[in-house]
Amino acid sequence: MKKSKVLVVGGTGYLGKRLVKASLAEGHETYILNRAEIGVDIDKVQMLLSFKEQGAHLVSGSFTDHQSLVKAIKLVDVVICTISGVHIRSHQILLQLKLIDAIKEAGNVKRFLPSEFGTDPARMEDALEPGRVTFDDKMIVRKAIEDAQIPFTYISANCFAGYFLGGLCQPGKILPSRDSVVLLGDGNKKAIYVDEDDIAMYTIKTIDDPRTLNKTVYLRPSKNILSQREVVEIWEKLIGKELQKPSIPKEQFLASLKGLEYAEQVGLIHYYHVCYEGCLTNFEIGNDAVEASELYPEIKYTTVAEYMKRYL
């Protein structure tokens, strides 16, 4: 079967650049939306030029120019969007409504993968304010996709390893301490941690797979379903030292949000649902969804223990 042509929107971002690499590695003709908004960000420009040297096509387009989006979309079969939904960076999820309008007009897209890649928003209807805005906005995008009858795949990748494992699941930390760690609650709620390169590879595997059409794909690699305590134990074993482990109860954690900037509160509410409520693992995958590591056992994913070695 001929492989789909892929357009990555947000191809210089944290996950987007990995998706471009994975798409090229899997032999897809790969296009990157070169947005005028990139301005004089020299690092991003040089990244785009590097991708071009590797065989990617750069296509001009902007969310402020509808026809430029339509023109870019008509070149491909699959559109993957990775624009940021993280408030501490920039929250742009609803910009995708403009992309959906362009996909509708173009009329040729076989699959759209919107910017999801975290917690499944369909399971977060009871999320707390202000953190729920991320999930609410993603559901607005989903409704627009489904109302337009655009074929889709939603990727629920759970916790990005770089953000969670590096800080031993502590908000605001991305490098592990060799002395102490603050446990969130009892530290026993299970979460799921996935290497960002693995997220990209699993995602690209789905785009031509009929089993993932109009479904949610959960990334649940079995060896990476661990509690915060288990992550800490892996780190302690690697460094040969036991850490001090004070804990913060949920009431104190929620009280600490008062007075913080809005963006910080949003992110911390996400940590609350993951680490205090176990929102990533407190349900079974239904018939309307599939699990990536079962679909693609040929991918040798990075385990938490392997990932943590980079911090030694």
Side-chain angles (χ1 to χ4, degrees), residues 3-157:
K3 294 195 173 186
S4 290
K5 297 177 182 179
V6 178
L7 173 66
V8 179
V9 180
T12 59
Y14 184 67
L15 184 60
K17 62 187 177 185
R18 292 172 166 85
L19 282 160
V20 172
K21 290 177 183 176
S23 180
L24 290 169
E26 286 294 293
H28 292 275
E29 189 171 340
T30 304
Y31 294 74
I32 308 168
L33 191 69
N34 182 13
R35 296 162 60 193
E37 292 85 351
I38 200 170
V40 293
D41 189 328
I42 190 65
D43 289 332
K44 290 186 176 182
V45 170
Q46 291 185 343
M47 189 187 305
L48 287 172
L49 293 175
S50 174
F51 285 144
K52 186 178 179 183
E53 289 177 350
Q54 296 169 51
H57 305 281
L58 307 184
V59 55
S60 296
S62 172
F63 284 107
T64 61
D65 183 348
H66 174 75
Q67 286 304 318
S68 74
L69 293 179
V70 174
K71 185 177 179 180
I73 289 164
K74 283 185 175 180
L75 297 171
V76 301
D77 308 300
V78 173
V79 178
I80 305 175
C81 187
T82 65
I83 60 175
S84 177
V86 181
H87 279 75
I88 57 171
R89 290 188 168 192
S90 58
H91 183 73
Q92 300 178 322
I93 292 298
L94 292 182
L95 270 180
Q96 293 178 104
L97 297 177
K98 295 185 177 183
L99 195 58
I100 291 166
D101 287 339
I103 290 172
K104 283 194 292 185
E105 182 172 330
N108 61 295
V109 170
K110 297 177 182 177
R111 192 89 62 106
F112 177 42
L113 284 70
S115 186
E116 297 237 353
F117 304 106
T119 305
D120 181 1
R123 296 188 176 274
M124 299 304 294
E125 58 186 14
D126 295 323
L128 299 179
E129 297 282 5
R132 65 172 300 121
V133 65
T134 304
F135 312 121
D136 290 344
D137 284 358
K138 287 181 177 181
M139 290 305 293
I140 290 170
V141 171
R142 284 192 181 192
K143 185 177 187 303
I145 292 168
E146 293 168 29
D147 285 351
Q149 296 184 317
I150 296 169
F152 64 84
T153 297
Y154 303 139
I155 305 292
S156 177

Side-chain angles (χ1 to χ4, degrees), residues 3 21 58 61 64 150 163 172 199 229 258 265 284 306-307:
K3 294 195 173 186
K21 290 177 183 176
L58 307 184
T64 61
I150 296 169
Y163 280 97
I199 293 172
R229 280 189 182 273
K258 294 178 181 177
Q265 290 189 45
E284 296 295 326
E306 291 165 344
Y307 192 93

Side-chain angles (χ1 to χ4, degrees), residues 272-306:
Y272 171 80
H273 289 299
V274 170
C275 297
Y276 287 94
E277 295 188 338
C279 69
L280 302 180
T281 58
N282 62 2
F283 63 92
E284 296 295 326
I285 295 174
N287 294 329
D288 58 343
V290 288
E291 198 284 312
S293 65
E294 292 181 359
L295 290 180
Y296 314 111
E298 70 275 14
I299 295 179
K300 186 183 181 301
Y301 65 83
T302 303
T303 66
V304 170
E306 291 165 344

